[in-house]
């Protein structure tokens, strides 16, 4: 500026794609180290921002504009802010700023920006309940943020449940054993685990073991506690399934010379597994949801991520996002259980699959040929029976004549 010139307004300009819409501007003027009062009105307009001072600003003052909430171009890269100012001598050009390095918007950020600008979303969020539990912007963000915790949750239950099945079978056999000591151990194990809360078992494992100088990784410990807890319920499921098989199955196997182990593994267990599949699947769903309790001891699974995000945002939507992840697994499994139960019910009532009837010419010809062969066989058999009958009658008559 020239000597004695005063600035009336300042205009800032962003590159194409940037925007000052929705931004806030703070004006500060310094005379050396002394702050002076300067008033101005900021008017955003697309990619430009014009600040008009209520009184012209002297050239001796250092004017500072702090702009918050502006949007840089979504493609990212180095952004240069330009502009101009107006004095009594007319409009003058400002020196361009140093390049500002920006990162391109991710698809998630683009979706959130679209939702932020949507009037329908704004109306939705204006409702206190919907804005607190179902905020669209936060729901989209939460689904992406919670994904690692969901994968860990799936990994824990996928590893723990096969272990639980093996332990459940072991304790089921022990509970129906002829040896009293094995039955006592199994009864104590099953009743203790089924009769106490999983929450307490988790605390004992996570805080009790370190007191005994047994230090195990949290994720591994999570697998162990879920497997042990589920095995108690599976032991009862398998025990009930084994004892539901009729005694005639054991007797039939014994009559064929099969040992107890052969009877159990080749006759009883296949039928037991068929009967307990729906119940085992339901128990798997319960164990999958029970992994949420591991968040109380610091395991970074699904609910732990949701809890942290809720604390940061002050909104309950992350918990709703966690519920969606649980439903992604549980709803298909519930459908599978229903289909399995229907198939088992149909098969037990004799409604299984039947051989298809051939309707083409080849099938008809083959059926006629087979029927003809069968008729011939029956005819030959009848002839033989007739000849045999005649010989028997002759022999009977001869004996009667002699008598």
């Amino acid at each position: 500026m020239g000597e004695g010139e005063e600035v009336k307004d300042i205009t800032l300009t962003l590159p194409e794609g940037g925007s000052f819409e929705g931004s806030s501007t703070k004006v500060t003027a310094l005379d050396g180290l002394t702050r002076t009062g300067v008033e101005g009105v900021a008017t955003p307009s697309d990619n430009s921002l014009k600040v008009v001072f209520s009184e012209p600003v002297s050239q001796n003052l250092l004017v500072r504009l702090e702009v918050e909430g502006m949007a840089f171009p979504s493609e990212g890269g180095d952004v240069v802010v330009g502009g101009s100012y107006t004095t009594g001598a007319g409009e003058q050009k400002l020196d361009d700023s140093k390049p500002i390095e920006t990162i391109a918007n991710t698809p998630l950020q683009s979706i959130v920006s679209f939702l932020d600008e949507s009037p329908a979303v704004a109306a939705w969020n204006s409702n206190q309940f919907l804005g607190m539990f179902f905020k669209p912007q936060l729901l989209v963000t939460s689904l992406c943020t919670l994904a690692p915790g969901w994968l860990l949750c799936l990994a824990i239950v996928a590893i723990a449940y096969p272990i639980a099945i093996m332990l459940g079978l072991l304790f089921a056999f022990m509970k129906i054993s002829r040896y009293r000591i094995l039955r006592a151990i199994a009864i104590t194990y099953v009743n203790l685990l089924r009769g106490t809360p999983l929450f307490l078992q988790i605390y004992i494992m996570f805080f009790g073991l370190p007191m005994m100088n047994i230090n195990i990784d949290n994720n591994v410990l999570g697998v162990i506690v879920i497997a042990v807890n589920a095995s108690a319920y599976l032991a009862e499921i398998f025990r009930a399934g084994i004892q539901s098989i009729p005694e005639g199955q054991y007797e039939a196997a014994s009559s064929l010379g099969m040992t107890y182990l052969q009877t159990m593994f080749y006759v009883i267990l296949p039928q037991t597994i068929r009967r307990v599949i729906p119940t085992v699947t339901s128990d798997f769903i319960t164990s999958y949801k029970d992994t949420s309790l591991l968040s109380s001891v610091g395991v970074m699974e699904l609910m732990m991520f949701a809890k942290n995000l809720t604390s940061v945002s002050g909104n309950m939507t992350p918990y709703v996002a966690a519920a969606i992840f649980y439903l992604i697994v549980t709803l298909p499994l519930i459908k599978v259980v229903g289909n399995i139960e229907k198939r088992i019910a149909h098969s037990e009532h004799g409604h299984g699959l039947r051989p298809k009837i051939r309707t083409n010419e080849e099938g008809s010809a083959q059926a006629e040929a087979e029927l003809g062969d069968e008729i011939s066989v029956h005819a030959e058999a009848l002839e033989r029976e007739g000849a045999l009958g005649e010989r028997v009658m002759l022999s009977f008559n001869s004996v009667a004549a002699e008598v």
Side-chain angles (χ1 to χ4, degrees):
M1 290 186 297
E3 187 69 23
E5 291 183 350
E6 295 181 331
V7 179
K8 298 179 180 179
D9 60 66
I10 297 177
T11 301
L12 300 179
T13 306
L14 288 174
E16 193 67 30
S19 175
F20 284 102
E21 295 291 342
S23 64
S24 60
T25 305
K26 181 180 179 181
V27 182
T28 306
L30 298 175
D31 185 1
L33 297 177
T34 305
R35 185 186 300 270
T36 62
V38 175
E39 294 184 0
V41 177
T43 305
S45 177
D46 199 13
N47 66 330
S48 65
L49 176 69
K50 186 173 185 179
V51 180
V52 179
F53 301 110
S54 57
E55 295 181 0
V57 179
S58 171
Q59 66 169 348
N60 297 324
L61 298 180
L62 175 63
V63 179
R64 179 178 181 181
L65 303 180
E66 298 179 32
V67 184
E68 295 182 357
M70 62 183 181
F72 290 116
S74 59
E75 60 271 13
D78 292 336
V79 177
V80 175
V81 180
S84 61
Y85 63 93
T86 303
T87 65
E91 186 175 352
Q92 309 293 328
K93 187 178 184 305
L94 280 174
D95 294 335
D96 291 339
S97 69
K98 293 181 179 180
I100 303 171
E101 185 178 353
T102 62
I103 301 174
N105 282 350
T106 63
L108 175 62
Q109 291 171 329
S110 300
I111 294 173
V112 172
S113 298
F114 171 78
L115 294 174
D116 285 335
E117 298 171 0
S118 172
V121 173
W124 174 280
N125 292 333
S126 63
N127 182 284
Q128 187 175 4
F129 173 78
L130 296 177
M132 177 57 69
F133 289 92
F134 300 96
K135 188 175 183 180
Q137 300 96 315
L138 188 54
L139 182 61
V140 172
T141 305
S142 299
L143 290 174
C144 294
T145 306
L146 300 184
W150 180 51
L151 295 177
L152 178 60
C153 181
L154 289 175
I156 289 175
V157 73
I159 297 172
Y161 214 73
I163 299 173
I165 290 175
M166 291 185 289
L167 286 174
L169 278 172
L170 173 63
F171 282 98
F173 287 133
M174 290 174 63
K175 198 167 183 180
I176 62 176
S177 171
R178 68 184 68 177
Y179 301 106
R180 182 176 299 178
I181 182 66
L182 294 181
R183 292 200 305 271
I185 293 173
I187 290 172
T188 303
Y189 177 87
V190 171
N191 291 345
L192 186 63
L193 290 175
R194 294 179 69 202
T196 56
L198 176 58
F199 193 80
L200 176 61
Q201 298 167 23
I202 291 173
Y203 266 65
I204 292 175
M205 295 286 284
F206 276 80
F207 299 116
L209 292 182
M211 293 180 181
M212 297 185 291
N213 294 324
I214 301 176
N215 297 306
I216 304 175
D217 179 78
N218 280 356
N219 295 334
V220 176
L221 205 54
V223 170
I224 294 173
V225 71
I226 293 296
V228 170
N229 179 265
S231 67
Y233 293 90
L234 289 173
E236 278 298 283
I237 293 172
F238 292 139
R239 192 268 313 159
I242 292 172
Q243 292 183 338
S244 69
I245 305 300
E247 288 293 331
Q249 299 287 327
Y250 295 90
E251 296 171 358
S254 177
S255 66
L256 294 175
M258 299 178 70
T259 64
Y260 177 79
L261 289 179
Q262 289 175 328
T263 301
M264 188 61 65
F265 283 98
Y266 294 107
V267 178
I268 305 303
L269 281 183
Q271 297 180 70
T272 300
I273 291 173
R274 178 184 177 88
R275 294 188 177 192
V276 302
I277 282 177
T279 313
V280 170
T281 308
S282 298
D283 185 73
F284 174 84
I285 293 174
T286 302
S287 297
Y288 170 58
K289 293 186 295 182
D290 283 345
T291 57
S292 61
L293 297 176
L294 296 174
S295 63
S296 62
V297 288
V299 177
M300 292 302 296
E301 50 77 60
L302 181 57
M303 290 304 294
M304 189 65 178
F305 275 87
K307 184 188 297 184
N308 292 342
L309 193 55
T310 298
S311 300
V312 172
S313 64
N315 193 287
M316 302 299 290
T317 303
Y319 284 123
V320 176
I324 292 174
F325 277 116
Y326 284 114
L327 290 174
I328 289 174
V329 175
T330 57
L331 288 181
L333 284 178
I334 291 171
K335 181 66 175 177
V336 169
V337 170
N339 290 337
I340 292 174
E341 289 177 343
K342 289 180 181 178
R343 287 178 177 270
I344 292 176
H346 283 192
S347 62
E348 288 182 350
H349 289 83
H351 299 304
L353 297 178
R354 294 290 184 269
K356 295 183 179 179
I357 299 175
R358 298 183 182 181
T359 57
N360 54 30
E361 296 179 358
E362 180 182 354
S364 300
Q366 184 175 352
E368 291 177 359
E370 293 175 353
L371 180 61
D373 293 340
E374 186 176 354
I375 291 173
S376 299
V377 171
H378 281 292
E380 293 176 0
L382 290 173
E383 290 178 359
R384 287 196 298 272
E385 291 176 0
L388 179 60
E390 291 178 359
R391 288 196 295 271
V392 170
M393 289 299 295
L394 290 174
S395 300
F396 177 78
N397 292 333
S398 300
V399 171
E402 291 177 2
V403 173

